[in-house]
Amino acid sequence: MNETIAPEFLPLVDAVEAHLLGKRHAITLTLAAFFAGGHVLLEDIPGVGKTTLAKTFANVMGLDFGRIQFTGDLLPSDILGVSYFDQESGKFVLKKGPIFTQFLLADEINRSMPKTQSALLEAMEEHHVTIDGKSHDLKEPFFVIATQNPHEEVGTFALPHSQLDRFLCSFGIGYPDKEAEREVLLGGGSRAGAAVPLIDAAAVRGTMEAVQNVHLSPMLLDYLQSLIAYTRDSGRFVYGLSTRGALAMAAMTRAWAHLHGRDYALPDDVQAVAGEVCLHRLAFKEGVTTLSRLRHELFSHVSADA
Amino acid sequence: MRFLPIWRSTDPAAKQPGRIVSRLQSWSASRELFLLDLAYLAVITPLLLLLKAPMLLFLLLVLVLLLAGKKGSTATLLLVAMTGLLAVFFSIYGAFNFAGLSRLKLFVELILYLLLLAVSLQRLTRTINFYLLISPVLLLALSLFFFDSIAMLGYVVFEVFVLLWLMLAHRTGADPLFSLRITGMLFALSLPWVVLLFFFFPRISFEHASYGFRGDDITRTGHDGTMRMDSAALLVPSERIVMEVGFQGTIPADGQLYFRGSVLYRDKKDHWEPLPSYVRRAFIPAQNAQRGMYGSAQQVTAYKVSLYPTHKQWLYLLDLPLEAPEGATINADFETTLKKPIEEPQRYDAGSALVYRYGGRTERTVLYYALDVNRSAHPRSAKAADTLAAANPDPEQRLGALLRFFRDQNLTYSLRPEPLDLNHTADSFLFDKRKGYCVHFAGAFVTFSRLAGLPARVVTGYKADRKNSVNNYLAVKERDAHAWAEVYAGGRWQRVETTATASFIDNESAELLRQTGTLEDNSDRLTRLNLYLLYVKYQVETWVLQYSHFRQMRLLEKIKTNPLFAAKLAAAFALLVLASAALFLWLRRPRCGNRLLCLLRPLLTRLQRSGFVREEGETLHTFFTRYLAAHPGSALADVDRLYHRQQYGRNEEDAVQFKKAIRAFLREKPAKGSSDAH
């Protein structure tokens, strides 16, 4: 991307990058999704730094960090918590599960059963959980990074389409490039000191509000809508983009524009995020759905500024 | 109008899907009918001018039935058919018999009526069939039989355009504006072909089948075959055009533009008359100009005349006409006449010898009439004439003496002279009043000449003025009506401009002439413009409406012999092709939906030319950034910033700076890959 990140957000990205070398784009996307109030689905093979990204990110943002390792026998109550009868007080007491946190890393989410997955997804959408018929609000901001192993692996339950839609965007981290990997081999990533919070809650709230106020001009909306219409009408995809998907695109575009120091969005912002927003939502009728193919398909058929 | 109930409908039942579909179907059917009605409106409008009253009433009836939304039941149709037949019968009643059927115009008229009847019946059934669809074109073709005026030419072009447009709208079902654009494109493409066809297919003439639009055939006067000596003769000098003349070469000198009308011999005191018809009949056969009367063929002036209806028989030709136009005859006095009064505009080609000598074979009877004078009516003139005649025995010298005598009388040219004593016109004019205009000069001179023993006669017609000309086009106005004398001396008839013997012109007449623009060079721009318009009108009439086979031949001849002309013609045609191609491309230009992008267009073209091509799917910002990386410091940076701020930003900024930045960039040297683009 040609554009530079606004000075106020630069330390955040730099801090995370110190631990995850050469993954600036993934870091910026995560930051954008966070400020857009959505959740991220990381989809990649194990061992490329998904967990590192999540942990460092939580630290830098100064958020409570919780982690759930999804396994085949994980139950909803393992996530949400249980209420038990406290004999001393004679009352039912809630034992909160790991979901009661600000930053949740749902690791290998597709290893658990759909029932367990959906428990998490309710919380992601509504920002509250229901235990024994009683609703409990979650702390704000609530941000989930779910990681997912490629479907082909043994012992995975693929997330249904409707649930994938809840994630604002999805991307892989990918292998580092040669130089970054060399530095990793030399211990560069772990040499960095422990990440410290660089932003407070008020600033986060302020930024989230600012993101919502980013201006989408008629021309930009035209572009967005043409892209969305293309996914629906071209006949190249199994399903077109849902309205939630369209909202996700707009939200991510806004956040990306704000991260780059503008209060209005450009087609470039759309192009920066569109692939990641659509990757888990769209599937080509023929052939494999990859990020680069998706981007090429969308951008070469729907031109901006025309 | 018929659609309105559909949209206005508040009937809840109409909201059921089935009903809506059927309503939509009925709308699309009535859309076609609506388009068809528009086509009828376009083609029938000019026809209304020539339809007879019964037919008009019939059409009105059909219109009322249509507007009333009456469904064409069998009974209704039968009634309408009967009414229509009656209307047709009454329209052509009297004008029509079986012999009349051989006259093209009547025949076509009948066909037109029947077609209108058939169309009305079919239209009333509200179903469209093939015959109904082609009927507007048929009506248009029929109307071409009746009109050949410039107004109609323009209207036909308009009609063709409208029909094409409606046809496109009907066939494609696209929205009217889009069809309009397509129609424009088709028109632009066809323009050169139309011009080519125009040249290769001359107009077919239907023997002046023109009814013309109203106002075209107002009766023109000015010259009427006699010459009145009383003051009623000349009213206000009129600017009305009598005829228009197009010369093949340059226009002859002012002194040669005498258009000969009638020749008058007999002095009837208050007016002059031509020879009685029984005398004139003796002069057969009609005389044509002979060799020897004029020098050589090169000295013949060729021209083309458009004469407006005069309700008289004279065709006006320049002195001296060589040959009568088709259908006309030239008599011994070179009067050119038609058998019937002119009720429709006449267009004829003619040739005249401006320098001529004739009269060698003038019959004695003519000379006798040309000497006939009542001496007792003009005693003082007779005395003076006798003195002159005695002093100048040679006729030529005597003629010179006569002219000198007139000049010495100190006559005054006046458009408002005191009335002469009609019993002694010559005496009264020459010795008492000494005031008059061309009529009085000519009359007095002829009388005086006869008294002096020289045969003389009055010629009336038009003396054109070169001030009323543009290039080779000359307009002759009623005001140009004139009278002069012809005197037989030295064995030939000599034209004498008698008015030229006036020594003075009275103030009033001078003022009057100045107002109407004869006396001085008329610099009044409006008049000039008017003249140019007339000129254009004349050229269109000659080259478009009256472009005949003969004209085509002449054109081809000229192309063959004159390479410069051919080149000019080819260049004009090439220009036309270019113009129509440009029009086509202009109509086909991509629509610019966004103002800022429109402003940016030249810049993008420039970038593309200098080898910087926008890649597939590339945003403008990325594109510009790529360019700026190769050419740092370019004004494109400003363009980039301003464009995105205005296009996507929140505030409406004014475009002035943006335009400035674009201009600044365009002023930069076209950079060819190098980085020194400052």
Side-chain angles (χ1 to χ4, degrees):
Chain A
M1 291 301 108
N2 297 311
E3 277 206 81
T4 48
I5 294 173
E8 44 181 319
F9 302 111
L10 205 54
L12 300 177
V13 178
D14 284 345
V16 183
E17 204 194 3
H19 293 268
L20 193 68
L21 296 168
K23 293 294 165 200
R24 209 175 172 78
H25 186 56
I27 294 163
T28 318
L29 275 171
T30 313
L31 200 59
F34 173 73
F35 285 132
H39 311 281
V40 172
L41 180 66
L42 289 178
E43 190 164 1
D44 219 329
I45 53 167
V48 288
K50 289 180 294 210
T51 316
T52 313
L53 172 66
K55 272 174 111 170
T56 325
F57 191 81
N59 285 343
V60 167
M61 303 302 289
L63 303 173
D64 300 342
F65 182 73
R67 171 180 181 153
I68 306 170
Q69 181 66 46
F70 279 60
T71 55
D73 55 358
L74 192 76
L75 292 172
S77 56
D78 295 335
I79 299 174
L80 305 177
V82 285
S83 49
Y84 59 94
F85 188 72
D86 183 16
Q87 289 185 327
E88 281 175 27
S89 62
K91 280 183 189 167
F92 277 96
V93 182
L94 177 69
K95 183 175 186 293
K96 286 182 176 174
I99 200 162
F100 287 88
T101 181
Q102 282 183 308
F103 189 108
L104 182 69
L105 174 64
D107 218 0
E108 299 189 310
I109 186 173
N110 57 343
R111 282 193 176 281
S112 74
M113 293 171 294
K115 188 183 172 188
T116 316
Q117 291 171 359
S118 63
L120 173 68
L121 294 166
E122 185 209 348
M124 283 165 59
E125 186 73 12
E126 325 259 328
H127 287 213
H128 61 73
V129 292
T130 311
I131 302 167
D132 289 342
K134 208 177 154 196
S135 181
H136 303 271
D137 284 337
L138 298 174
K139 280 197 216 166
E140 292 290 337
F142 178 65
F143 183 58
V144 176
I145 291 187
T147 73
Q148 175 172 243
N149 296 329
H151 300 303
E152 296 78 30
E153 288 206 355
V154 184
T156 56
F157 299 90
L159 286 164
H161 187 74
S162 61
Q163 300 196 345
L164 281 174
D165 213 14
R166 309 279 162 94
F167 290 97
L168 197 56
C169 64
S170 115
F171 50 91
I173 293 182
Y175 300 114
D177 60 26
K178 212 171 164 182
E179 281 170 35
E181 189 146 50
R182 197 182 185 90
E183 197 143 333
V184 172
L185 292 176
L186 290 170
S190 52
R191 268 211 304 271
V196 290
L198 295 171
I199 189 167
D200 58 5
V204 167
R205 262 199 308 281
T207 308
M208 281 179 152
E209 267 168 35
V211 163
Q212 284 183 353
N213 285 329
V214 166
H215 177 65
L216 301 185
S217 74
M219 187 82 168
L220 189 97
L221 286 170
D222 283 347
Y223 183 48
L224 264 181
Q225 285 194 299
S226 311
L227 281 173
I228 293 159
Y230 180 76
T231 67
R232 294 170 183 170
D233 305 334
S234 65
R236 303 270 288 157
F237 302 99
V238 182
Y239 300 107
L241 211 59
S242 65
T243 305
R244 202 206 313 260
L247 278 170
M249 192 105 97
M252 278 298 279
T253 303
R254 283 194 165 108
W256 193 268
H258 185 73
L259 280 185
H260 291 84
R262 272 178 280 105
D263 64 346
Y264 56 89
L266 296 182
D268 299 80
D269 301 324
V270 178
Q271 291 200 352
V273 301
E276 284 82 355
V277 169
C278 294
L279 184 62
H280 58 297
R281 290 183 165 96
L282 297 178
F284 279 106
K285 275 184 181 165
E286 288 162 24
V288 191
T289 311
T290 63
L291 188 61
S292 59
R293 184 178 170 205
L294 192 60
R295 289 170 62 105
H296 181 261
E297 177 77 22
L298 287 178
F299 303 153
S300 62
H301 285 96
V302 184
S303 49
D305 292 307
Chain B
M1 294 272 275
R2 281 193 311 279
F3 314 145
L4 283 179
I6 297 162
W7 303 117
R8 273 205 312 241
S9 169
T10 48
D11 179 14
K15 296 206 165 66
Q16 288 167 14
R19 292 291 290 270
I20 286 178
V21 167
S22 72
R23 273 179 188 269
L24 275 178
Q25 276 165 356
S26 80
W27 185 80
S28 73
S30 53
R31 175 181 188 263
E32 297 198 333
L33 279 177
F34 177 66
L35 291 178
L36 203 62
D37 285 348
L38 281 182
Y40 283 130
L41 192 69
V43 290
I44 290 186
T45 307
L47 289 176
L48 291 180
L49 288 176
L50 65 91
L51 288 182
K52 302 268 187 334
M55 209 59 204
L56 286 176
L57 283 176
F58 169 68
L59 287 182
L60 193 67
L61 170 76
V62 174
L63 187 69
V64 167
L65 284 178
L66 279 175
L67 286 181
K70 199 130 177 72
K71 183 82 183 158
S73 65
T74 318
T76 322
L77 288 182
L78 206 65
L79 199 71
V80 171
M82 295 306 292
T83 322
L85 283 175
L86 266 180
V88 172
F89 175 74
F90 281 120
S91 297
I92 53 181
Y93 181 75
F96 186 72
N97 51 42
F98 281 101
L101 205 60
S102 62
R103 277 175 59 205
L104 183 74
K105 210 164 73 181
L106 249 180
F107 186 68
V108 175
E109 214 172 308
L110 180 64
I111 291 180
L112 177 68
Y113 289 154
L114 293 177
L115 181 68
L116 280 175
L117 177 59
V119 162
S120 305
L121 288 174
Q122 179 59 37
R123 179 64 187 78
L124 276 172
T125 65
R126 282 164 208 279
T127 47
I128 296 179
N129 63 12
F130 173 73
Y131 304 103
L132 201 59
L133 280 181
I134 61 166
S135 56
V137 183
L138 282 179
L139 284 172
L140 170 61
L142 282 179
S143 67
L144 292 183
F145 279 85
F146 296 98
F147 301 110
D148 61 351
S149 61
I150 290 186
M152 193 57 195
L153 175 72
Y155 193 76
V156 164
V157 175
F158 168 74
E159 269 179 313
V160 171
F161 188 87
V162 168
L163 289 185
L164 188 64
W165 173 32
L166 293 174
M167 200 139 72
L168 278 172
H170 166 70
R171 297 291 297 178
T172 59
D175 77 296
L177 270 180
F178 180 74
S179 323
L180 193 64
R181 225 172 107 195
I182 302 287
T183 314
M185 278 156 68
L186 283 177
F187 241 67
L189 277 187
S190 63
L191 208 60
W193 299 106
V194 170
V195 171
L196 269 190
L197 291 177
F198 244 72
F199 276 113
F200 282 111
F201 293 93
R203 306 301 90 72
I204 304 161
S205 161
F206 292 108
E207 290 185 303
H208 303 290
S210 146
Y211 281 86
F213 280 103
R214 296 224 160 138
D216 258 13
D217 56 350
I218 298 169
T219 310
R220 260 90 179 160
T221 53
H223 162 260
D224 63 355
T226 60
M227 185 174 87
R228 299 190 68 84
M229 300 298 285
D230 49 12
S231 50
L234 196 81
L235 302 165
V236 182
S238 158
E239 289 284 326
R240 209 187 273 163
I241 305 274
V242 179
M243 56 181 178
E244 293 162 84
V245 188
F247 287 91
Q248 211 174 34
T250 51
I251 298 186
D254 246 345
Q256 293 180 314
L257 293 172
Y258 287 87
F259 287 90
R260 202 175 177 90
S262 46
V263 180
L264 310 175
Y265 287 86
R266 307 217 297 171
D267 183 359
K268 293 286 184 182
K269 290 188 181 172
D270 65 337
H271 69 281
W272 284 70
E273 270 187 3
L275 286 180
S277 50
Y278 63 88
V279 181
R280 263 195 285 180
R281 262 200 294 279
F283 299 158
I284 45 171
Q287 185 177 344
N288 271 358
Q290 306 283 321
R291 265 195 194 286
M293 290 186 185
Y294 59 96
S296 63
Q298 273 82 35
Q299 287 172 323
V300 174
T301 303
Y303 53 98
K304 191 175 169 63
V305 179
S306 298
L307 179 65
Y308 287 94
T310 55
H311 301 289
K312 306 283 182 317
Q313 287 160 276
W314 284 275
L315 292 185
Y316 302 98
L317 297 178
L318 273 178
D319 244 355
L320 188 72
L322 295 187
E323 206 175 326
E326 207 178 309
T329 46
I330 299 184
N331 68 11
D333 290 339
F334 289 91
E335 287 175 288
T336 314
T337 48
L338 289 173
K339 286 199 181 66
K340 285 184 182 168
I342 300 166
E343 307 293 350
E344 286 159 359
Q346 296 286 318
R347 296 183 176 85
Y348 47 89
D349 284 297
S352 294
L354 301 184
V355 182
Y356 56 88
R357 177 191 175 88
Y358 86 101
R361 301 193 304 168
T362 308
E363 301 207 18
R364 295 176 67 87
T365 336
V366 174
L367 290 181
Y368 166 75
Y369 276 106
L371 273 172
D372 177 38
V373 64
N374 180 1
R375 293 184 72 90
S376 60
H378 318 284
R380 277 183 283 176
S381 304
K383 204 171 149 213
D386 285 342
T387 321
L388 272 175
N392 301 284
D394 177 53
E396 300 260 11
Q397 280 178 8
R398 202 184 302 168
L399 177 57
L402 287 179
L403 282 169
R404 269 197 302 283
F405 175 78
F406 260 64
R407 271 188 210 109
D408 294 342
Q409 286 317 106
N410 291 332
L411 301 169
T412 304
Y413 182 83
S414 168
L415 286 171
R416 300 266 164 77
E418 290 169 52
L420 299 181
D421 178 356
L422 288 178
N423 288 321
H424 315 282
T425 39
D427 280 5
S428 169
F429 176 65
L430 280 175
F431 303 109
D432 297 338
K433 312 287 188 198
R434 296 173 194 246
K435 267 188 178 181
Y437 45 88
C438 60
V439 167
H440 307 110
F441 280 91
F445 191 85
V446 168
T447 308
F448 196 74
S449 171
R450 286 176 180 182
L451 288 169
L454 281 177
R457 60 195 186 188
V458 174
V459 184
T460 56
Y462 292 94
K463 181 178 183 258
D465 195 328
R466 275 183 66 131
K467 275 163 200 136
N468 298 322
S469 68
V470 180
N471 296 339
N472 62 341
Y473 163 84
L474 176 74
V476 179
K477 304 182 175 181
E478 271 181 27
R479 213 197 37 212
D480 296 332
H482 192 48
W484 59 94
E486 270 190 336
V487 178
Y488 192 76
R492 63 190 178 105
W493 288 102
Q494 296 184 33
R495 182 172 62 217
V496 179
E497 178 50 272
T498 45
T499 311
T501 58
S503 309
F504 310 102
I505 175 163
D506 73 346
N507 291 335
E508 195 192 2
S509 303
E511 186 55 37
L512 210 56
L513 288 176
R514 197 173 294 119
Q515 274 168 14
T516 51
T518 325
L519 195 65
E520 281 169 47
D521 187 18
N522 195 335
S523 57
D524 186 7
R525 227 183 279 147
L526 251 178
T527 320
R528 203 71 201 153
L529 184 70
N530 205 7
L531 198 60
Y532 271 107
L533 282 180
L534 277 172
Y535 175 62
V536 169
K537 175 172 169 283
Y538 177 77
Q539 293 294 349
V540 170
E541 271 175 357
T542 325
W543 285 102
V544 180
L545 297 173
Q546 304 292 324
Y547 176 69
S548 59
H549 180 67
F550 172 71
R551 247 165 205 278
Q552 185 190 25
M553 287 291 128
R554 236 169 57 184
L555 189 72
L556 288 178
E557 195 65 33
K558 194 166 179 191
I559 288 173
K560 258 190 273 175
T561 54
N562 191 344
L564 186 69
F565 177 73
K568 269 187 196 165
L569 212 60
F573 186 70
L575 209 67
L576 180 78
V577 170
L578 278 181
S580 66
L583 181 64
F584 175 74
L585 288 177
W586 182 75
L587 283 169
R588 223 191 60 156
R589 77 200 184 281
R591 281 311 219 209
C592 205
N594 185 286
R595 191 176 54 96
L596 293 171
L597 275 179
C598 284
L599 290 174
L600 218 48
R601 191 167 284 157
L603 181 141
L604 293 175
T605 317
R606 160 76 169 280
L607 280 174
Q608 190 153 24
R609 267 194 213 130
S610 64
F612 241 85
V613 184
R614 198 169 155 193
E615 278 165 17
E616 212 180 34
E618 199 172 24
T619 62
L620 272 184
H621 178 64
T622 320
F623 180 48
F624 288 163
T625 313
R626 197 152 57 82
Y627 180 87
L628 285 168
H631 309 279
S634 165
L636 196 62
D638 293 332
V639 176
D640 182 28
R641 186 170 45 83
L642 289 166
Y643 170 73
H644 286 98
R645 271 239 299 269
Q646 287 181 70
Q647 185 75 278
Y648 296 103
R650 207 183 291 267
N651 304 328
E652 279 287 318
E653 287 172 57
D654 70 325
V656 176
Q657 268 201 308
F658 181 52
K659 283 182 195 158
K660 250 188 221 165
I662 291 177
R663 276 200 295 274
F665 173 76
L666 289 177
R667 270 198 301 274
E668 280 175 15
K669 250 193 338 202
K672 285 274 182 200
S674 65
S675 59
D676 54 351
H678 277 276

